[in-house]
Amino acid sequence: MSFIEIFPDSDFPIQNLPYGIFSTKENPSPRVGTRLGDFVVDLAFLDEQSLFDEKYDFFADASLNRFMSAGREVWRKIRQRLTEVLSEDKASIWEEAMRVRALTPVSDVVMHLPVSIGDYTDFYASREHATNVGIMFRGKENALMPNWLHLPVGYHGRASSVVLSDTDVTRPRGQVKPKDSAPEFSASRQLDFELEMGFFIGAGNELGEPISIENAHEHIFGMVLLNDWSARDIQAWEYQPLGPFLAKNFATSISPWVVTMDALEPFRVPGSKQDPAPLPYLQVDSVSVFDIRLEVTLQSAAMDAPQVISRSNMKHLYWSVEQMLAHHTVTGCNMRVGDLCGTGTISGPTEDSFGSLLELTWRGEKPLQLSDGEQRTFLQDGDVVTMKGYCQGDGYRVGFGEVMGKILPAK
Ligand code: CA
């Protein structure tokens, strides 16, 4: 228990303690904070007050990168100390003046992109998603490509357009190819979201020295919710033979709080059996994934409340995050602190658990019915897409908050 009251359905009890970058009106320098209930705790201030066993000047930084590069031992030490000082029996050190300086109501802070992201890679690790897309584009017989069960498929994405939740997304323009006519230049008519999780690399590896599957967990700092906005009409025309390019480079949204792997550890569950068995560099005794409940809502400009359009779970992923990282580096590719990996769209086995409109509406064949009487196949201007996620503990949650974005008309 912490020294401030936290409701059981809060995403941010003392068991969570995620990290983010925030600023306030009084102190506009972006710095590192953690979240406790409806408060942001200023870690740069706690550091100044010598509340940690040693000085960590990286809490005054405008990104988590230096903290992340300190490595797992330091992450653990700091988490342990925070759990101590924010607990109920330490309430006495939180005299009024200290409380006012260290804790800011979440309504009074501005959040910033938590990490300076060097490289961004997006995987395709949900068997259900890959199968659904495969059926739509190639037919039932060839749904999964021959490589899919042997390696976590991915592509190198674009880090510069990764944006924080609440950043508006402008409808992209690009080259599209209507059926039976010549290619044309147009605003995308098939704008979509993809429900994903993102994981951040804390400690990197040297060029030429792969990260083994056994050590992969040591290199992952934490996770965020990720929305890989996708223009399906641009994608359908451009993607062969090299994969996604402009269809996905205009915006990728992430949630502001990075939930650490230590906070997520109690929510590991066995993954599905991998058959055929992966090659040795991807093999573990038993694949484990995370039980993170995910939800997508849509609210059009005319609706007065968001409507749930999908419920999924990260545990549906076929490939684990450790397998993705081991595969990414097996060539000797070096990961650097702050690199971001997306898991790929997380679709569950049922129609209401699909993680994109492409799947939920089966490429537009089955429009979604919205509560304002409208229908949706793909996103319209003014639509707001929000993704939430949390792990359910015994009487508490470890949650991610939300990642939200609103569609603006093409410029
Ligand atoms: Ca994706």
Side-chain angles (χ1 to χ4, degrees):
M1 300 285 278
S2 101
F3 71 94
I4 55 172
E5 192 189 4
I6 295 167
F7 294 105
D9 63 349
S10 169
D11 276 354
F12 305 106
I14 195 162
Q15 290 88 346
N16 191 344
L17 301 179
Y19 299 108
I21 298 293
F22 79 105
S23 62
T24 53
K25 223 197 228 155
E26 294 71 35
N27 182 354
S29 325
R31 55 205 186 272
V32 179
T34 188
R35 174 94 183 248
L36 191 61
D38 292 332
F39 291 91
V40 173
V41 185
D42 186 336
L43 298 189
F45 176 70
L46 296 195
D47 193 30
E48 265 170 43
Q49 299 298 305
S50 301
L51 243 72
F52 298 104
D53 306 331
E54 51 189 288
K55 282 275 182 196
Y56 298 109
D57 59 342
F58 47 61
F59 287 138
D61 289 359
S63 80
L64 296 177
N65 292 49
R66 272 207 304 151
F67 172 28
M68 292 162 77
S69 69
R72 203 171 183 222
E73 250 172 69
V74 176
W75 309 341
R76 290 211 155 153
K77 226 161 87 180
I78 289 170
R79 178 175 166 80
Q80 204 176 359
R81 181 66 184 147
L82 280 174
T83 305
E84 241 171 70
V85 300
L86 297 173
S87 71
E88 207 171 23
D89 50 345
K90 284 286 192 304
S92 58
I93 65 169
W94 294 93
E95 57 181 82
E96 198 54 33
M98 176 85 173
R99 233 183 240 228
V100 169
R101 280 295 312 275
L103 272 72
T104 309
V106 71
S107 51
D108 294 345
V109 306
V110 176
M111 297 304 296
H112 304 269
L113 204 63
V115 175
S116 172
I117 304 167
D119 276 300
Y120 162 51
T121 298
D122 198 19
F123 285 91
Y124 193 53
S126 152
R127 184 174 188 163
E128 285 78 9
H129 173 68
T131 305
N132 288 338
V133 175
I135 291 172
M136 280 183 261
F137 286 86
R138 288 182 299 274
K140 243 189 168 111
E141 303 309 305
N142 307 301
L144 277 190
M145 296 295 270
N147 59 3
W148 201 93
L149 292 170
H150 296 272
L151 54 88
V153 169
Y155 68 95
H156 288 113
R158 183 82 199 157
S160 65
S161 52
V162 177
V163 295
L164 195 67
S165 176
D166 278 3
T167 306
D168 292 336
V169 174
T170 301
R171 181 180 297 276
R173 291 181 190 277
Q175 207 178 118
V176 299
K177 164 88 174 61
K179 219 177 168 201
D180 310 321
S181 65
E184 59 179 51
F185 183 70
S186 161
S188 171
R189 298 180 195 101
Q190 297 185 348
L191 189 53
D192 200 355
F193 60 82
E194 289 191 338
L195 169 65
E196 304 193 19
M197 296 298 297
F199 57 96
F200 279 110
I201 304 308
N205 58 308
E206 295 296 323
L207 182 65
E209 295 177 16
I211 295 174
S212 71
I213 184 80
E214 291 80 19
N215 292 336
H217 67 280
E218 306 265 342
H219 293 263
I220 303 174
F221 178 77
M223 295 208 275
V224 289
L225 298 161
L226 186 149
N227 182 349
D228 175 23
W229 302 98
S230 301
R232 301 298 179 195
D233 41 3
I234 297 174
Q235 185 179 357
W237 175 230
E238 75 173 3
Y239 89 104
Q240 287 175 322
L242 289 185
F245 184 31
L246 308 188
K248 288 162 179 285
N249 76 354
F250 57 95
T252 304
S253 303
I254 61 169
S255 53
W257 293 104
V258 184
V259 177
T260 65
M261 299 315 280
D262 284 327
L264 295 171
E265 203 51 48
F267 304 99
R268 268 188 195 272
V269 292
S272 51
K273 187 174 156 32
Q274 296 184 330
D275 181 22
L279 290 171
Y281 77 96
L282 291 173
Q283 244 173 50
V284 280
D285 290 341
S286 63
V287 178
S288 71
V289 289
F290 292 93
D291 184 356
I292 302 174
R293 301 172 192 203
L294 301 166
E295 176 186 283
V296 185
T297 64
L298 177 66
Q299 182 171 5
S300 74
M303 289 161 71
D304 30 295
Q307 177 176 334
V308 175
I309 56 170
S310 174
R311 285 200 174 91
S312 186
N313 192 308
M314 193 188 176
K315 72 182 179 190
H316 296 312
L317 289 181
Y318 184 84
W319 296 103
S320 71
V321 291
E322 291 84 6
Q323 287 176 316
M324 292 182 224
L325 184 54
H327 183 65
H328 198 311
T329 64
V330 75
T331 53
C333 170
N334 52 327
M335 306 299 287
R336 292 176 296 191
V337 59
D339 284 355
L340 173 66
C341 294
T343 58
T345 308
I346 304 170
S347 291
T350 57
E351 280 179 27
D352 56 357
S353 64
F354 294 166
S356 64
L357 282 174
L358 178 71
E359 296 161 272
L360 288 165
T361 71
W362 210 253
R363 216 181 183 178
E365 283 171 25
K366 294 192 261 179
L368 285 184
Q369 195 63 47
L370 298 184
S371 61
D372 64 349
E374 277 185 73
Q375 291 190 329
R376 274 298 174 283
T377 48
F378 292 98
L379 296 171
Q380 299 294 315
D381 295 341
D383 283 357
V384 175
V385 178
T386 305
M387 297 170 179
K388 297 182 183 187
Y390 66 90
C391 309
Q392 185 64 57
D394 186 7
Y396 71 95
R397 284 178 176 184
V398 169
F400 289 82
E402 62 179 39
V403 60
M404 187 254 257
K406 182 177 175 178
I407 305 301
L408 298 188
K411 278 185 186 145

mmCIF file of all heavy atoms in Angstrom, residues 11-12 35 164-166 224-226 253-257 295 297 306 384-389 399-405:
data_model
loop_
_atom_site.group_PDB
_atom_site.id
_atom_site.type_symbol
_atom_site.label_atom_id
_atom_site.label_comp_id
_atom_site.label_asym_id
_atom_site.label_seq_id
_atom_site.Cartn_x
_atom_site.Cartn_y
_atom_site.Cartn_z
ATOM 1 N N ASP A 11 -4.896 2.425 -12.716
ATOM 2 C CA ASP A 11 -3.806 1.767 -13.447
ATOM 3 C C ASP A 11 -2.468 1.914 -12.720
ATOM 4 O O ASP A 11 -1.497 1.268 -13.073
ATOM 5 C CB ASP A 11 -3.650 2.416 -14.836
ATOM 6 C CG ASP A 11 -4.607 1.829 -15.860
ATOM 7 O OD1 ASP A 11 -5.297 0.847 -15.533
ATOM 8 O OD2 ASP A 11 -4.664 2.361 -16.989
ATOM 9 N N PHE A 12 -2.420 2.819 -11.724
ATOM 10 C CA PHE A 12 -1.118 3.214 -11.194
ATOM 11 C C PHE A 12 -0.985 3.082 -9.679
ATOM 12 O O PHE A 12 -0.730 4.049 -8.973
ATOM 13 C CB PHE A 12 -0.821 4.650 -11.629
ATOM 14 C CG PHE A 12 -0.895 4.841 -13.123
ATOM 15 C CD1 PHE A 12 -1.967 5.508 -13.711
ATOM 16 C CD2 PHE A 12 0.092 4.318 -13.942
ATOM 17 C CE1 PHE A 12 -2.036 5.669 -15.088
ATOM 18 C CE2 PHE A 12 0.026 4.470 -15.323
ATOM 19 C CZ PHE A 12 -1.038 5.153 -15.908
ATOM 20 N N ARG A 35 4.373 7.655 -11.651
ATOM 21 C CA ARG A 35 2.960 7.935 -11.457
ATOM 22 C C ARG A 35 2.448 7.091 -10.298
ATOM 23 O O ARG A 35 2.725 5.886 -10.225
ATOM 24 C CB ARG A 35 2.229 7.585 -12.767
ATOM 25 C CG ARG A 35 0.731 7.674 -12.720
ATOM 26 C CD ARG A 35 0.209 9.000 -13.194
ATOM 27 N NE ARG A 35 -1.244 9.018 -13.057
ATOM 28 C CZ ARG A 35 -2.103 9.034 -14.062
ATOM 29 N NH1 ARG A 35 -1.657 9.061 -15.310
ATOM 30 N NH2 ARG A 35 -3.408 9.044 -13.845
ATOM 31 N N LEU A 164 3.511 11.251 -29.110
ATOM 32 C CA LEU A 164 2.883 10.944 -27.833
ATOM 33 C C LEU A 164 1.367 10.914 -27.986
ATOM 34 O O LEU A 164 0.799 11.624 -28.829
ATOM 35 C CB LEU A 164 3.278 12.009 -26.808
ATOM 36 C CG LEU A 164 2.985 11.638 -25.353
ATOM 37 C CD1 LEU A 164 3.865 10.479 -24.911
ATOM 38 C CD2 LEU A 164 3.208 12.837 -24.436
ATOM 39 N N SER A 165 0.723 10.131 -27.140
ATOM 40 C CA SER A 165 -0.736 10.115 -27.058
ATOM 41 C C SER A 165 -1.268 11.538 -27.027
ATOM 42 O O SER A 165 -0.648 12.429 -26.447
ATOM 43 C CB SER A 165 -1.144 9.402 -25.768
ATOM 44 O OG SER A 165 -2.545 9.445 -25.601
ATOM 45 N N ASP A 166 -2.429 11.746 -27.627
ATOM 46 C CA ASP A 166 -3.080 13.068 -27.690
ATOM 47 C C ASP A 166 -2.583 13.933 -28.832
ATOM 48 O O ASP A 166 -3.066 15.044 -29.007
ATOM 49 C CB ASP A 166 -2.898 13.890 -26.403
ATOM 50 C CG ASP A 166 -3.896 13.495 -25.345
ATOM 51 O OD1 ASP A 166 -4.664 12.556 -25.604
ATOM 52 O OD2 ASP A 166 -3.905 14.127 -24.272
ATOM 53 N N VAL A 224 4.950 0.125 -23.579
ATOM 54 C CA VAL A 224 3.904 1.147 -23.730
ATOM 55 C C VAL A 224 2.824 0.593 -24.664
ATOM 56 O O VAL A 224 3.046 -0.410 -25.354
ATOM 57 C CB VAL A 224 4.467 2.450 -24.359
ATOM 58 C CG1 VAL A 224 5.364 3.198 -23.381
ATOM 59 C CG2 VAL A 224 5.222 2.171 -25.665
ATOM 60 N N LEU A 225 1.666 1.250 -24.676
ATOM 61 C CA LEU A 225 0.658 0.965 -25.695
ATOM 62 C C LEU A 225 1.097 1.649 -26.978
ATOM 63 O O LEU A 225 1.668 2.748 -26.933
ATOM 64 C CB LEU A 225 -0.700 1.538 -25.277
ATOM 65 C CG LEU A 225 -1.328 0.997 -23.994
ATOM 66 C CD1 LEU A 225 -2.386 1.974 -23.483
ATOM 67 C CD2 LEU A 225 -1.942 -0.368 -24.246
ATOM 68 N N LEU A 226 0.822 1.027 -28.108
ATOM 69 C CA LEU A 226 1.279 1.592 -29.377
ATOM 70 C C LEU A 226 0.182 1.463 -30.432
ATOM 71 O O LEU A 226 -0.431 0.401 -30.573
ATOM 72 C CB LEU A 226 2.556 0.860 -29.816
ATOM 73 C CG LEU A 226 3.307 1.345 -31.049
ATOM 74 C CD1 LEU A 226 4.802 1.062 -30.897
ATOM 75 C CD2 LEU A 226 2.794 0.722 -32.331
ATOM 76 N N SER A 253 1.562 6.307 -32.608
ATOM 77 C CA SER A 253 1.317 6.938 -31.300
ATOM 78 C C SER A 253 1.665 5.982 -30.168
ATOM 79 O O SER A 253 1.381 4.781 -30.258
ATOM 80 C CB SER A 253 -0.152 7.329 -31.164
ATOM 81 O OG SER A 253 -0.537 8.196 -32.208
ATOM 82 N N ILE A 254 2.259 6.534 -29.092
ATOM 83 C CA ILE A 254 2.533 5.703 -27.907
ATOM 84 C C ILE A 254 1.978 6.373 -26.651
ATOM 85 O O ILE A 254 1.815 7.597 -26.606
ATOM 86 C CB ILE A 254 4.047 5.405 -27.714
ATOM 87 C CG1 ILE A 254 4.848 6.697 -27.511
ATOM 88 C CG2 ILE A 254 4.596 4.611 -28.878
ATOM 89 C CD1 ILE A 254 6.287 6.461 -27.058
ATOM 90 N N SER A 255 1.717 5.557 -25.630
ATOM 91 C CA SER A 255 1.243 6.073 -24.342
ATOM 92 C C SER A 255 2.425 6.670 -23.571
ATOM 93 O O SER A 255 3.570 6.269 -23.776
ATOM 94 C CB SER A 255 0.568 4.951 -23.548
ATOM 95 O OG SER A 255 1.423 3.833 -23.445
ATOM 96 N N PRO A 256 2.162 7.626 -22.668
ATOM 97 C CA PRO A 256 3.260 8.374 -22.045
ATOM 98 C C PRO A 256 4.028 7.649 -20.939
ATOM 99 O O PRO A 256 5.171 7.998 -20.666
ATOM 100 C CB PRO A 256 2.570 9.608 -21.457
ATOM 101 C CG PRO A 256 1.138 9.256 -21.331
ATOM 102 C CD PRO A 256 0.848 8.231 -22.376
ATOM 103 N N TRP A 257 3.422 6.639 -20.283
ATOM 104 C CA TRP A 257 4.088 5.996 -19.147
ATOM 105 C C TRP A 257 4.702 4.678 -19.558
ATOM 106 O O TRP A 257 4.002 3.790 -20.076
ATOM 107 C CB TRP A 257 3.091 5.785 -18.004
ATOM 108 C CG TRP A 257 2.636 7.083 -17.423
ATOM 109 C CD1 TRP A 257 1.434 7.701 -17.613
ATOM 110 C CD2 TRP A 257 3.408 7.954 -16.592
ATOM 111 N NE1 TRP A 257 1.416 8.900 -16.943
ATOM 112 C CE2 TRP A 257 2.604 9.078 -16.296
ATOM 113 C CE3 TRP A 257 4.703 7.900 -16.049
ATOM 114 C CZ2 TRP A 257 3.046 10.142 -15.502
ATOM 115 C CZ3 TRP A 257 5.140 8.951 -15.257
ATOM 116 C CH2 TRP A 257 4.331 10.048 -14.983
ATOM 117 N N GLU A 295 -8.030 -2.870 -24.918
ATOM 118 C CA GLU A 295 -9.349 -2.416 -25.368
ATOM 119 C C GLU A 295 -9.165 -1.245 -26.333
ATOM 120 O O GLU A 295 -8.305 -0.399 -26.129
ATOM 121 C CB GLU A 295 -10.123 -1.964 -24.138
ATOM 122 C CG GLU A 295 -11.478 -1.379 -24.402
ATOM 123 C CD GLU A 295 -12.089 -0.822 -23.110
ATOM 124 O OE1 GLU A 295 -12.570 -1.627 -22.290
ATOM 125 O OE2 GLU A 295 -12.071 0.400 -22.939
ATOM 126 N N THR A 297 -11.392 1.879 -28.207
ATOM 127 C CA THR A 297 -12.667 2.577 -28.366
ATOM 128 C C THR A 297 -12.578 3.558 -29.528
ATOM 129 O O THR A 297 -11.495 4.032 -29.888
ATOM 130 C CB THR A 297 -13.081 3.364 -27.103
ATOM 131 O OG1 THR A 297 -12.124 4.399 -26.874
ATOM 132 C CG2 THR A 297 -13.192 2.470 -25.889
ATOM 133 N N PRO A 306 -17.256 7.437 -26.003
ATOM 134 C CA PRO A 306 -16.546 6.441 -26.810
ATOM 135 C C PRO A 306 -17.249 5.091 -26.778
ATOM 136 O O PRO A 306 -17.918 4.756 -25.799
ATOM 137 C CB PRO A 306 -15.174 6.347 -26.130
ATOM 138 C CG PRO A 306 -15.321 6.937 -24.776
ATOM 139 C CD PRO A 306 -16.505 7.842 -24.796
ATOM 140 N N VAL A 384 -11.926 9.746 -32.948
ATOM 141 C CA VAL A 384 -10.912 9.612 -31.901
ATOM 142 C C VAL A 384 -10.774 8.127 -31.572
ATOM 143 O O VAL A 384 -11.763 7.464 -31.239
ATOM 144 C CB VAL A 384 -11.306 10.398 -30.634
ATOM 145 C CG1 VAL A 384 -10.306 10.140 -29.507
ATOM 146 C CG2 VAL A 384 -11.410 11.884 -30.933
ATOM 147 N N VAL A 385 -9.557 7.604 -31.691
ATOM 148 C CA VAL A 385 -9.280 6.205 -31.342
ATOM 149 C C VAL A 385 -8.473 6.191 -30.043
ATOM 150 O O VAL A 385 -7.472 6.890 -29.928
ATOM 151 C CB VAL A 385 -8.482 5.492 -32.457
ATOM 152 C CG1 VAL A 385 -8.153 4.055 -32.043
ATOM 153 C CG2 VAL A 385 -9.254 5.507 -33.768
ATOM 154 N N THR A 386 -8.946 5.418 -29.066
ATOM 155 C CA THR A 386 -8.261 5.319 -27.772
ATOM 156 C C THR A 386 -8.005 3.858 -27.451
ATOM 157 O O THR A 386 -8.905 3.020 -27.601
ATOM 158 C CB THR A 386 -9.125 5.935 -26.653
ATOM 159 O OG1 THR A 386 -9.451 7.278 -27.019
ATOM 160 C CG2 THR A 386 -8.380 5.943 -25.321
ATOM 161 N N MET A 387 -6.778 3.553 -27.035
ATOM 162 C CA MET A 387 -6.432 2.190 -26.609
ATOM 163 C C MET A 387 -6.034 2.212 -25.149
ATOM 164 O O MET A 387 -5.348 3.131 -24.714
ATOM 165 C CB MET A 387 -5.258 1.668 -27.441
ATOM 166 C CG MET A 387 -5.601 1.567 -28.907
ATOM 167 S SD MET A 387 -4.162 1.238 -29.915
ATOM 168 C CE MET A 387 -4.982 1.153 -31.526
ATOM 169 N N LYS A 388 -6.515 1.217 -24.410
ATOM 170 C CA LYS A 388 -6.175 1.095 -22.994
ATOM 171 C C LYS A 388 -5.670 -0.310 -22.745
ATOM 172 O O LYS A 388 -6.006 -1.229 -23.497
ATOM 173 C CB LYS A 388 -7.392 1.355 -22.116
ATOM 174 C CG LYS A 388 -7.948 2.760 -22.255
ATOM 175 C CD LYS A 388 -9.114 2.989 -21.330
ATOM 176 C CE LYS A 388 -9.667 4.384 -21.575
ATOM 177 N NZ LYS A 388 -10.687 4.776 -20.634
ATOM 178 N N GLY A 389 -4.942 -0.476 -21.645
ATOM 179 C CA GLY A 389 -4.460 -1.812 -21.309
ATOM 180 C C GLY A 389 -4.085 -1.920 -19.851
ATOM 181 O O GLY A 389 -3.612 -0.947 -19.262
ATOM 182 N N GLY A 399 -1.463 -0.923 -14.900
ATOM 183 C CA GLY A 399 -2.008 -0.481 -16.177
ATOM 184 C C GLY A 399 -1.099 0.485 -16.922
ATOM 185 O O GLY A 399 -0.088 0.954 -16.404
ATOM 186 N N PHE A 400 -1.508 0.759 -18.140
ATOM 187 C CA PHE A 400 -0.717 1.589 -19.050
ATOM 188 C C PHE A 400 -1.347 2.958 -19.301
ATOM 189 O O PHE A 400 -0.782 3.758 -20.042
ATOM 190 C CB PHE A 400 -0.559 0.876 -20.387
ATOM 191 C CG PHE A 400 0.354 -0.316 -20.301
ATOM 192 C CD1 PHE A 400 -0.116 -1.540 -19.833
ATOM 193 C CD2 PHE A 400 1.681 -0.210 -20.664
ATOM 194 C CE1 PHE A 400 0.733 -2.630 -19.729
ATOM 195 C CE2 PHE A 400 2.543 -1.298 -20.573
ATOM 196 C CZ PHE A 400 2.062 -2.513 -20.100
ATOM 197 N N GLY A 401 -2.535 3.222 -18.698
ATOM 198 C CA GLY A 401 -3.213 4.460 -19.061
ATOM 199 C C GLY A 401 -3.784 4.305 -20.446
ATOM 200 O O GLY A 401 -4.402 3.282 -20.754
ATOM 201 N N GLU A 402 -3.541 5.274 -21.317
ATOM 202 C CA GLU A 402 -4.123 5.167 -22.656
ATOM 203 C C GLU A 402 -3.233 5.810 -23.719
ATOM 204 O O GLU A 402 -2.368 6.622 -23.415
ATOM 205 C CB GLU A 402 -5.505 5.829 -22.685
ATOM 206 C CG GLU A 402 -5.467 7.312 -22.379
ATOM 207 C CD GLU A 402 -6.850 7.960 -22.444
ATOM 208 O OE1 GLU A 402 -7.837 7.328 -22.006
ATOM 209 O OE2 GLU A 402 -6.927 9.108 -22.939
ATOM 210 N N VAL A 403 -3.477 5.404 -24.946
ATOM 211 C CA VAL A 403 -2.904 6.093 -26.103
ATOM 212 C C VAL A 403 -4.074 6.503 -26.985
ATOM 213 O O VAL A 403 -4.916 5.687 -27.338
ATOM 214 C CB VAL A 403 -1.858 5.248 -26.864
ATOM 215 C CG1 VAL A 403 -2.418 3.937 -27.402
ATOM 216 C CG2 VAL A 403 -1.266 6.073 -28.020
ATOM 217 N N MET A 404 -4.128 7.804 -27.265
ATOM 218 C CA MET A 404 -5.302 8.361 -27.944
ATOM 219 C C MET A 404 -4.842 9.221 -29.114
ATOM 220 O O MET A 404 -3.775 9.821 -29.066
ATOM 221 C CB MET A 404 -6.018 9.210 -26.886
ATOM 222 C CG MET A 404 -7.337 9.756 -27.295
ATOM 223 S SD MET A 404 -7.146 11.487 -27.599
ATOM 224 C CE MET A 404 -7.867 12.118 -26.102
ATOM 225 N N GLY A 405 -5.651 9.260 -30.151
ATOM 226 C CA GLY A 405 -5.337 10.129 -31.285
ATOM 227 C C GLY A 405 -6.589 10.476 -32.052
ATOM 228 O O GLY A 405 -7.523 9.669 -32.146
#
